[in-house]
Amino acid sequence: MSFDVTDLSALEILDSRGRPTLAVTVRLADGTTARAGVPSGASTGSREAVELRDGDTSRYAGRGVLRAVASVNGEIAGLLRGRPWDSLAAADLAMIALDGTPNKSRLGANATVGVSMALARALAAAAGIPLWQWLAPDGVTPSLPVPHFNVLNGGVHAPNDLDFQEFMIAPLGAPSMPEAVRAGAEVYASLRRELTDHKLSVGLGDEGGFAPELSEPEEVLRLIVGAISDAGYVPGPGGVSIALDPAASEFRQPDGRYKVAGDLLDSDQMIDRLAAIAAEFPVHLIEDGLGEDDDAGWIALTRRLGDSTELVGDDNFCTNPAIIADAIERGIGNSSLIKVNQIGTVTETLQAMAICRQAGYRQFVSHRSGETEDSFIADLAVGTGCGHLKSGAPARGERTAKYNRLLEIAATSRLRYGMN
């Protein structure tokens, strides 16, 4: 489907943490208009595409994005307007070439991804089909993903002493999307009661999960298992399971060891601790269980747990097709986290997911800690049939926007629910 861009603009808005980000609006020649809000991460891999910030300490402590806004309103608008485009991929590749750097640092990945997302949404609307359907790759059957709700936060997402960053619940055994969302909300409410009963804080972290003053991940897991049971669900794959994102790069020490609740662990000891957790608790997924540069550890972890546990690379994969292909060849992990802003265009995101599919690696679509009300990733997870999505707690508008979008899609389609 060829298209012409008649108008393209961006403005500086706030994300869910009160920090600046972009909103991009595009208008096509047929009058179709679409908007995209750009997410922003706190726990980031070193090889992510670069989010362009102003560095002007007199505004937003240097975090302003007026330079990225200028990239959209200036060079990118000049590139895309006034000529026909035969596909989103052609426009995305042209933006990559215009930027001219390996990590989109000149124009800013936050600029290119906003344009790419807005274009995809506009093209779907112009075609008269839902975004999820427009995003579906050839030969892929769309499906409704299992929502992975972040119910308790630590690491850089919360002001507590808990080193592990995310504790998620996943209604693997739910019969439908509405029942999955209900389970998430009910367990979240049950966990609030558990924490209150233990006289622990129910203040929230960046992604809507509770942020109590706990330090031992095992103690958190015991509370979550109790909350699942108290809410009337069975802990485990037949009911509500647990997923972890330790974000281990954040607590890896300069000497290569990992500091967890005061313990200093080498890679083998960290693997032993993760294996013990997976054996004791109903944990089906571990994301970033080791540091992004601990390749030998990742290979050993994959050999140890890869047959029973989904091992998701995030900081070490960065949604980068070339990096993921290399990791697959080396036996690192068995799944990749997918963040559109981590690579900077929708086209490259779909390429990364295709590489995973072809190798038998799973794909786990994800939000960021700094979010907007944009629900693009819900459609992406459905269209690509990846099976699971995380968007934070079943609370706070920027998080529930994604889950509510899944409910809308479920109500207007006959798609299968669940992980493959």
Side-chain angles (χ1 to χ4, degrees), residues 15-18 153 157 188 203-209 368-373 391-404:
D15 71 15
S16 56
R17 300 167 302 179
N153 289 181
H157 290 174
Y188 183 73
L204 303 182
D206 283 349
E207 299 182 353
R368 300 308 298 258
S369 57
E371 269 293 337
T372 75
E373 69 282 3
S391 183
R396 297 179 39 153
E398 78 282 357
R399 312 295 157 183
T400 58
K402 284 70 165 172
Y403 301 130
N404 290 339

PDB file of all heavy atoms in Angstrom, residues 15-18 153 157 188 203-209 368-373 391-404:
ATOM      1  N   ASP A  15       5.898  11.692  30.374  1.00  0.00           N
ATOM      2  CA  ASP A  15       5.624  10.271  30.530  1.00  0.00           C
ATOM      3  C   ASP A  15       5.077  10.029  31.941  1.00  0.00           C
ATOM      4  O   ASP A  15       4.855  10.967  32.719  1.00  0.00           O
ATOM      5  CB  ASP A  15       6.855   9.418  30.209  1.00  0.00           C
ATOM      6  CG  ASP A  15       7.981   9.504  31.243  1.00  0.00           C
ATOM      7  OD1 ASP A  15       7.749   9.993  32.361  1.00  0.00           O
ATOM      8  OD2 ASP A  15       9.108   9.072  30.922  1.00  0.00           O
ATOM      9  N   SER A  16       4.882   8.763  32.283  1.00  0.00           N
ATOM     10  CA  SER A  16       4.229   8.414  33.543  1.00  0.00           C
ATOM     11  C   SER A  16       5.083   8.712  34.764  1.00  0.00           C
ATOM     12  O   SER A  16       4.579   8.666  35.896  1.00  0.00           O
ATOM     13  CB  SER A  16       3.857   6.931  33.529  1.00  0.00           C
ATOM     14  OG  SER A  16       5.008   6.128  33.287  1.00  0.00           O
ATOM     15  N   ARG A  17       6.365   9.013  34.575  1.00  0.00           N
ATOM     16  CA  ARG A  17       7.238   9.378  35.696  1.00  0.00           C
ATOM     17  C   ARG A  17       7.386  10.892  35.823  1.00  0.00           C
ATOM     18  O   ARG A  17       8.172  11.379  36.637  1.00  0.00           O
ATOM     19  CB  ARG A  17       8.619   8.748  35.506  1.00  0.00           C
ATOM     20  CG  ARG A  17       8.621   7.237  35.426  1.00  0.00           C
ATOM     21  CD  ARG A  17       9.945   6.714  34.921  1.00  0.00           C
ATOM     22  NE  ARG A  17      10.270   7.264  33.616  1.00  0.00           N
ATOM     23  CZ  ARG A  17      11.379   6.990  32.944  1.00  0.00           C
ATOM     24  NH1 ARG A  17      12.270   6.182  33.458  1.00  0.00           N
ATOM     25  NH2 ARG A  17      11.591   7.527  31.753  1.00  0.00           N
ATOM     26  N   GLY A  18       6.666  11.643  34.989  1.00  0.00           N
ATOM     27  CA  GLY A  18       6.790  13.090  35.011  1.00  0.00           C
ATOM     28  C   GLY A  18       7.999  13.604  34.268  1.00  0.00           C
ATOM     29  O   GLY A  18       8.419  14.750  34.470  1.00  0.00           O
ATOM     30  N   ASN A 153       7.651  -4.162  42.815  1.00  0.00           N
ATOM     31  CA  ASN A 153       8.803  -3.523  42.176  1.00  0.00           C
ATOM     32  C   ASN A 153       9.994  -3.418  43.118  1.00  0.00           C
ATOM     33  O   ASN A 153       9.843  -3.221  44.321  1.00  0.00           O
ATOM     34  CB  ASN A 153       8.463  -2.090  41.733  1.00  0.00           C
ATOM     35  CG  ASN A 153       7.515  -2.008  40.558  1.00  0.00           C
ATOM     36  OD1 ASN A 153       7.191  -0.915  40.122  1.00  0.00           O
ATOM     37  ND2 ASN A 153       7.051  -3.121  40.039  1.00  0.00           N
ATOM     38  N   HIS A 157      13.360   0.695  39.761  1.00  0.00           N
ATOM     39  CA  HIS A 157      11.962   1.083  39.612  1.00  0.00           C
ATOM     40  C   HIS A 157      11.294   1.424  40.936  1.00  0.00           C
ATOM     41  O   HIS A 157      10.109   1.759  40.957  1.00  0.00           O
ATOM     42  CB  HIS A 157      11.171  -0.030  38.924  1.00  0.00           C
ATOM     43  CG  HIS A 157      11.513  -0.198  37.487  1.00  0.00           C
ATOM     44  ND1 HIS A 157      11.001  -1.216  36.711  1.00  0.00           N
ATOM     45  CD2 HIS A 157      12.310   0.518  36.661  1.00  0.00           C
ATOM     46  CE1 HIS A 157      11.481  -1.127  35.485  1.00  0.00           C
ATOM     47  NE2 HIS A 157      12.281  -0.072  35.436  1.00  0.00           N
ATOM     48  N   TYR A 188      -3.631  -8.800  42.567  1.00  0.00           N
ATOM     49  CA  TYR A 188      -3.025  -7.515  42.947  1.00  0.00           C
ATOM     50  C   TYR A 188      -3.688  -6.977  44.216  1.00  0.00           C
ATOM     51  O   TYR A 188      -3.006  -6.538  45.153  1.00  0.00           O
ATOM     52  CB  TYR A 188      -3.198  -6.539  41.783  1.00  0.00           C
ATOM     53  CG  TYR A 188      -2.583  -5.171  41.941  1.00  0.00           C
ATOM     54  CD1 TYR A 188      -1.212  -4.983  41.860  1.00  0.00           C
ATOM     55  CD2 TYR A 188      -3.390  -4.046  42.119  1.00  0.00           C
ATOM     56  CE1 TYR A 188      -0.648  -3.712  41.967  1.00  0.00           C
ATOM     57  CE2 TYR A 188      -2.845  -2.779  42.214  1.00  0.00           C
ATOM     58  CZ  TYR A 188      -1.475  -2.611  42.142  1.00  0.00           C
ATOM     59  OH  TYR A 188      -0.931  -1.355  42.238  1.00  0.00           O
ATOM     60  N   GLY A 203       2.970   1.594  48.942  1.00  0.00           N
ATOM     61  CA  GLY A 203       3.336   2.601  47.949  1.00  0.00           C
ATOM     62  C   GLY A 203       3.767   1.921  46.658  1.00  0.00           C
ATOM     63  O   GLY A 203       4.121   0.732  46.649  1.00  0.00           O
ATOM     64  N   LEU A 204       3.725   2.661  45.553  1.00  0.00           N
ATOM     65  CA  LEU A 204       3.942   2.064  44.242  1.00  0.00           C
ATOM     66  C   LEU A 204       5.280   2.461  43.628  1.00  0.00           C
ATOM     67  O   LEU A 204       5.766   3.575  43.830  1.00  0.00           O
ATOM     68  CB  LEU A 204       2.816   2.473  43.285  1.00  0.00           C
ATOM     69  CG  LEU A 204       1.390   2.145  43.722  1.00  0.00           C
ATOM     70  CD1 LEU A 204       0.402   2.572  42.633  1.00  0.00           C
ATOM     71  CD2 LEU A 204       1.234   0.670  44.043  1.00  0.00           C
ATOM     72  N   GLY A 205       5.846   1.533  42.842  1.00  0.00           N
ATOM     73  CA  GLY A 205       7.025   1.814  42.040  1.00  0.00           C
ATOM     74  C   GLY A 205       6.625   2.392  40.696  1.00  0.00           C
ATOM     75  O   GLY A 205       5.446   2.659  40.423  1.00  0.00           O
ATOM     76  N   ASP A 206       7.607   2.579  39.828  1.00  0.00           N
ATOM     77  CA  ASP A 206       7.374   3.226  38.534  1.00  0.00           C
ATOM     78  C   ASP A 206       6.320   2.520  37.694  1.00  0.00           C
ATOM     79  O   ASP A 206       5.612   3.154  36.908  1.00  0.00           O
ATOM     80  CB  ASP A 206       8.682   3.268  37.723  1.00  0.00           C
ATOM     81  CG  ASP A 206       9.630   4.356  38.195  1.00  0.00           C
ATOM     82  OD1 ASP A 206       9.200   5.207  38.999  1.00  0.00           O
ATOM     83  OD2 ASP A 206      10.788   4.348  37.759  1.00  0.00           O
ATOM     84  N   GLU A 207       6.215   1.206  37.811  1.00  0.00           N
ATOM     85  CA  GLU A 207       5.327   0.451  36.922  1.00  0.00           C
ATOM     86  C   GLU A 207       4.048   0.006  37.613  1.00  0.00           C
ATOM     87  O   GLU A 207       3.340  -0.871  37.126  1.00  0.00           O
ATOM     88  CB  GLU A 207       6.091  -0.731  36.329  1.00  0.00           C
ATOM     89  CG  GLU A 207       7.274  -0.271  35.499  1.00  0.00           C
ATOM     90  CD  GLU A 207       8.045  -1.402  34.847  1.00  0.00           C
ATOM     91  OE1 GLU A 207       7.751  -2.578  35.132  1.00  0.00           O
ATOM     92  OE2 GLU A 207       8.937  -1.096  34.032  1.00  0.00           O
ATOM     93  N   GLY A 208       3.745   0.624  38.756  1.00  0.00           N
ATOM     94  CA  GLY A 208       2.488   0.364  39.427  1.00  0.00           C
ATOM     95  C   GLY A 208       2.512  -0.774  40.418  1.00  0.00           C
ATOM     96  O   GLY A 208       1.517  -1.007  41.112  1.00  0.00           O
ATOM     97  N   GLY A 209       3.607  -1.510  40.505  1.00  0.00           N
ATOM     98  CA  GLY A 209       3.721  -2.568  41.495  1.00  0.00           C
ATOM     99  C   GLY A 209       4.022  -1.985  42.861  1.00  0.00           C
ATOM    100  O   GLY A 209       4.563  -0.884  42.988  1.00  0.00           O
ATOM    101  N   ARG A 368       7.759   0.137  28.872  1.00  0.00           N
ATOM    102  CA  ARG A 368       8.926   0.698  29.557  1.00  0.00           C
ATOM    103  C   ARG A 368       8.468   1.318  30.880  1.00  0.00           C
ATOM    104  O   ARG A 368       7.286   1.526  31.114  1.00  0.00           O
ATOM    105  CB  ARG A 368       9.608   1.777  28.706  1.00  0.00           C
ATOM    106  CG  ARG A 368      10.125   1.346  27.351  1.00  0.00           C
ATOM    107  CD  ARG A 368      11.018   0.123  27.355  1.00  0.00           C
ATOM    108  NE  ARG A 368      12.250   0.238  28.106  1.00  0.00           N
ATOM    109  CZ  ARG A 368      13.460   0.455  27.557  1.00  0.00           C
ATOM    110  NH1 ARG A 368      13.575   0.601  26.242  1.00  0.00           N
ATOM    111  NH2 ARG A 368      14.539   0.502  28.307  1.00  0.00           N
ATOM    112  N   SER A 369       9.423   1.643  31.721  1.00  0.00           N
ATOM    113  CA  SER A 369       9.060   2.230  33.019  1.00  0.00           C
ATOM    114  C   SER A 369       8.423   3.606  32.847  1.00  0.00           C
ATOM    115  O   SER A 369       7.536   3.996  33.614  1.00  0.00           O
ATOM    116  CB  SER A 369      10.282   2.336  33.919  1.00  0.00           C
ATOM    117  OG  SER A 369      11.301   3.087  33.301  1.00  0.00           O
ATOM    118  N   GLY A 370       8.866   4.357  31.859  1.00  0.00           N
ATOM    119  CA  GLY A 370       8.241   5.627  31.527  1.00  0.00           C
ATOM    120  C   GLY A 370       7.295   5.417  30.357  1.00  0.00           C
ATOM    121  O   GLY A 370       7.738   5.183  29.232  1.00  0.00           O
ATOM    122  N   GLU A 371       5.990   5.460  30.614  1.00  0.00           N
ATOM    123  CA  GLU A 371       4.996   5.138  29.592  1.00  0.00           C
ATOM    124  C   GLU A 371       4.058   6.304  29.321  1.00  0.00           C
ATOM    125  O   GLU A 371       3.996   7.274  30.085  1.00  0.00           O
ATOM    126  CB  GLU A 371       4.172   3.910  30.015  1.00  0.00           C
ATOM    127  CG  GLU A 371       4.740   2.590  29.549  1.00  0.00           C
ATOM    128  CD  GLU A 371       4.693   2.427  28.020  1.00  0.00           C
ATOM    129  OE1 GLU A 371       3.870   3.094  27.360  1.00  0.00           O
ATOM    130  OE2 GLU A 371       5.494   1.638  27.496  1.00  0.00           O
ATOM    131  N   THR A 372       3.316   6.179  28.234  1.00  0.00           N
ATOM    132  CA  THR A 372       2.218   7.089  27.925  1.00  0.00           C
ATOM    133  C   THR A 372       0.954   6.241  27.824  1.00  0.00           C
ATOM    134  O   THR A 372       0.984   5.025  28.009  1.00  0.00           O
ATOM    135  CB  THR A 372       2.457   7.823  26.590  1.00  0.00           C
ATOM    136  OG1 THR A 372       2.218   6.916  25.506  1.00  0.00           O
ATOM    137  CG2 THR A 372       3.872   8.372  26.499  1.00  0.00           C
ATOM    138  N   GLU A 373      -0.150   6.886  27.504  1.00  0.00           N
ATOM    139  CA  GLU A 373      -1.414   6.163  27.365  1.00  0.00           C
ATOM    140  C   GLU A 373      -1.492   5.377  26.058  1.00  0.00           C
ATOM    141  O   GLU A 373      -2.464   4.655  25.811  1.00  0.00           O
ATOM    142  CB  GLU A 373      -2.591   7.140  27.448  1.00  0.00           C
ATOM    143  CG  GLU A 373      -2.734   8.097  26.271  1.00  0.00           C
ATOM    144  CD  GLU A 373      -1.770   9.289  26.267  1.00  0.00           C
ATOM    145  OE1 GLU A 373      -0.913   9.367  27.178  1.00  0.00           O
ATOM    146  OE2 GLU A 373      -1.883  10.134  25.370  1.00  0.00           O
ATOM    147  N   SER A 391       2.986  -5.134  30.812  1.00  0.00           N
ATOM    148  CA  SER A 391       2.748  -3.696  30.775  1.00  0.00           C
ATOM    149  C   SER A 391       2.556  -3.133  32.177  1.00  0.00           C
ATOM    150  O   SER A 391       1.821  -2.192  32.372  1.00  0.00           O
ATOM    151  CB  SER A 391       1.526  -3.380  29.914  1.00  0.00           C
ATOM    152  OG  SER A 391       1.339  -1.987  29.816  1.00  0.00           O
ATOM    153  N   GLY A 392       3.209  -3.778  33.162  1.00  0.00           N
ATOM    154  CA  GLY A 392       3.133  -3.255  34.509  1.00  0.00           C
ATOM    155  C   GLY A 392       1.964  -3.811  35.288  1.00  0.00           C
ATOM    156  O   GLY A 392       1.386  -4.845  34.954  1.00  0.00           O
ATOM    157  N   ALA A 393       1.604  -3.104  36.340  1.00  0.00           N
ATOM    158  CA  ALA A 393       0.545  -3.550  37.243  1.00  0.00           C
ATOM    159  C   ALA A 393      -0.829  -3.397  36.598  1.00  0.00           C
ATOM    160  O   ALA A 393      -0.984  -2.649  35.624  1.00  0.00           O
ATOM    161  CB  ALA A 393       0.603  -2.731  38.526  1.00  0.00           C
ATOM    162  N   PRO A 394      -1.839  -4.082  37.150  1.00  0.00           N
ATOM    163  CA  PRO A 394      -3.212  -3.827  36.706  1.00  0.00           C
ATOM    164  C   PRO A 394      -3.754  -2.572  37.398  1.00  0.00           C
ATOM    165  O   PRO A 394      -4.821  -2.570  38.005  1.00  0.00           O
ATOM    166  CB  PRO A 394      -3.954  -5.098  37.139  1.00  0.00           C
ATOM    167  CG  PRO A 394      -3.216  -5.555  38.351  1.00  0.00           C
ATOM    168  CD  PRO A 394      -1.773  -5.181  38.132  1.00  0.00           C
ATOM    169  N   ALA A 395      -2.990  -1.504  37.326  1.00  0.00           N
ATOM    170  CA  ALA A 395      -3.313  -0.233  37.967  1.00  0.00           C
ATOM    171  C   ALA A 395      -2.515   0.863  37.276  1.00  0.00           C
ATOM    172  O   ALA A 395      -1.479   0.598  36.677  1.00  0.00           O
ATOM    173  CB  ALA A 395      -2.962  -0.278  39.459  1.00  0.00           C
ATOM    174  N   ARG A 396      -2.999   2.108  37.357  1.00  0.00           N
ATOM    175  CA  ARG A 396      -2.414   3.286  36.710  1.00  0.00           C
ATOM    176  C   ARG A 396      -2.756   3.290  35.230  1.00  0.00           C
ATOM    177  O   ARG A 396      -2.575   2.304  34.524  1.00  0.00           O
ATOM    178  CB  ARG A 396      -0.894   3.393  36.919  1.00  0.00           C
ATOM    179  CG  ARG A 396      -0.511   3.563  38.377  1.00  0.00           C
ATOM    180  CD  ARG A 396       0.971   3.646  38.641  1.00  0.00           C
ATOM    181  NE  ARG A 396       1.719   4.411  37.664  1.00  0.00           N
ATOM    182  CZ  ARG A 396       2.866   5.043  37.946  1.00  0.00           C
ATOM    183  NH1 ARG A 396       3.344   5.021  39.174  1.00  0.00           N
ATOM    184  NH2 ARG A 396       3.525   5.668  37.018  1.00  0.00           N
ATOM    185  N   GLY A 397      -3.249   4.432  34.779  1.00  0.00           N
ATOM    186  CA  GLY A 397      -3.805   4.527  33.443  1.00  0.00           C
ATOM    187  C   GLY A 397      -2.876   4.157  32.308  1.00  0.00           C
ATOM    188  O   GLY A 397      -3.291   3.528  31.340  1.00  0.00           O
ATOM    189  N   GLU A 398      -1.588   4.526  32.438  1.00  0.00           N
ATOM    190  CA  GLU A 398      -0.665   4.226  31.344  1.00  0.00           C
ATOM    191  C   GLU A 398      -0.396   2.726  31.242  1.00  0.00           C
ATOM    192  O   GLU A 398       0.021   2.243  30.189  1.00  0.00           O
ATOM    193  CB  GLU A 398       0.632   5.010  31.517  1.00  0.00           C
ATOM    194  CG  GLU A 398       1.617   4.457  32.545  1.00  0.00           C
ATOM    195  CD  GLU A 398       1.289   4.756  33.996  1.00  0.00           C
ATOM    196  OE1 GLU A 398       0.290   5.478  34.243  1.00  0.00           O
ATOM    197  OE2 GLU A 398       2.035   4.296  34.881  1.00  0.00           O
ATOM    198  N   ARG A 399      -0.623   1.977  32.331  1.00  0.00           N
ATOM    199  CA  ARG A 399      -0.445   0.518  32.316  1.00  0.00           C
ATOM    200  C   ARG A 399      -1.737  -0.163  31.873  1.00  0.00           C
ATOM    201  O   ARG A 399      -1.728  -1.041  31.004  1.00  0.00           O
ATOM    202  CB  ARG A 399      -0.040   0.000  33.702  1.00  0.00           C
ATOM    203  CG  ARG A 399       1.095   0.775  34.349  1.00  0.00           C
ATOM    204  CD  ARG A 399       2.401   0.672  33.604  1.00  0.00           C
ATOM    205  NE  ARG A 399       3.264   1.809  33.933  1.00  0.00           N
ATOM    206  CZ  ARG A 399       4.457   2.029  33.397  1.00  0.00           C
ATOM    207  NH1 ARG A 399       4.954   1.190  32.515  1.00  0.00           N
ATOM    208  NH2 ARG A 399       5.161   3.087  33.728  1.00  0.00           N
ATOM    209  N   THR A 400      -2.859   0.236  32.482  1.00  0.00           N
ATOM    210  CA  THR A 400      -4.124  -0.422  32.156  1.00  0.00           C
ATOM    211  C   THR A 400      -4.594  -0.104  30.735  1.00  0.00           C
ATOM    212  O   THR A 400      -5.407  -0.847  30.177  1.00  0.00           O
ATOM    213  CB  THR A 400      -5.224  -0.030  33.159  1.00  0.00           C
ATOM    214  OG1 THR A 400      -5.384   1.386  33.166  1.00  0.00           O
ATOM    215  CG2 THR A 400      -4.863  -0.505  34.563  1.00  0.00           C
ATOM    216  N   ALA A 401      -4.075   0.963  30.125  1.00  0.00           N
ATOM    217  CA  ALA A 401      -4.437   1.262  28.733  1.00  0.00           C
ATOM    218  C   ALA A 401      -4.120   0.076  27.827  1.00  0.00           C
ATOM    219  O   ALA A 401      -4.885  -0.235  26.896  1.00  0.00           O
ATOM    220  CB  ALA A 401      -3.705   2.510  28.248  1.00  0.00           C
ATOM    221  N   LYS A 402      -2.999  -0.596  28.097  1.00  0.00           N
ATOM    222  CA  LYS A 402      -2.607  -1.741  27.266  1.00  0.00           C
ATOM    223  C   LYS A 402      -3.508  -2.941  27.535  1.00  0.00           C
ATOM    224  O   LYS A 402      -3.959  -3.634  26.620  1.00  0.00           O
ATOM    225  CB  LYS A 402      -1.151  -2.128  27.534  1.00  0.00           C
ATOM    226  CG  LYS A 402      -0.102  -1.217  26.910  1.00  0.00           C
ATOM    227  CD  LYS A 402      -0.016   0.148  27.542  1.00  0.00           C
ATOM    228  CE  LYS A 402       1.256   0.899  27.168  1.00  0.00           C
ATOM    229  NZ  LYS A 402       1.249   2.296  27.644  1.00  0.00           N
ATOM    230  N   TYR A 403      -3.791  -3.204  28.830  1.00  0.00           N
ATOM    231  CA  TYR A 403      -4.656  -4.327  29.163  1.00  0.00           C
ATOM    232  C   TYR A 403      -6.089  -4.078  28.694  1.00  0.00           C
ATOM    233  O   TYR A 403      -6.772  -5.001  28.230  1.00  0.00           O
ATOM    234  CB  TYR A 403      -4.612  -4.585  30.674  1.00  0.00           C
ATOM    235  CG  TYR A 403      -3.218  -4.890  31.180  1.00  0.00           C
ATOM    236  CD1 TYR A 403      -2.680  -4.220  32.277  1.00  0.00           C
ATOM    237  CD2 TYR A 403      -2.418  -5.842  30.551  1.00  0.00           C
ATOM    238  CE1 TYR A 403      -1.407  -4.494  32.746  1.00  0.00           C
ATOM    239  CE2 TYR A 403      -1.136  -6.119  31.012  1.00  0.00           C
ATOM    240  CZ  TYR A 403      -0.636  -5.440  32.099  1.00  0.00           C
ATOM    241  OH  TYR A 403       0.637  -5.711  32.545  1.00  0.00           O
ATOM    242  N   ASN A 404      -6.553  -2.842  28.805  1.00  0.00           N
ATOM    243  CA  ASN A 404      -7.898  -2.525  28.318  1.00  0.00           C
ATOM    244  C   ASN A 404      -7.990  -2.669  26.806  1.00  0.00           C
ATOM    245  O   ASN A 404      -9.029  -3.078  26.270  1.00  0.00           O
ATOM    246  CB  ASN A 404      -8.288  -1.111  28.745  1.00  0.00           C
ATOM    247  CG  ASN A 404      -8.536  -1.007  30.236  1.00  0.00           C
ATOM    248  OD1 ASN A 404      -8.798  -2.009  30.906  1.00  0.00           O
ATOM    249  ND2 ASN A 404      -8.458   0.201  30.787  1.00  0.00           N
TER     250      ASN A 404
END
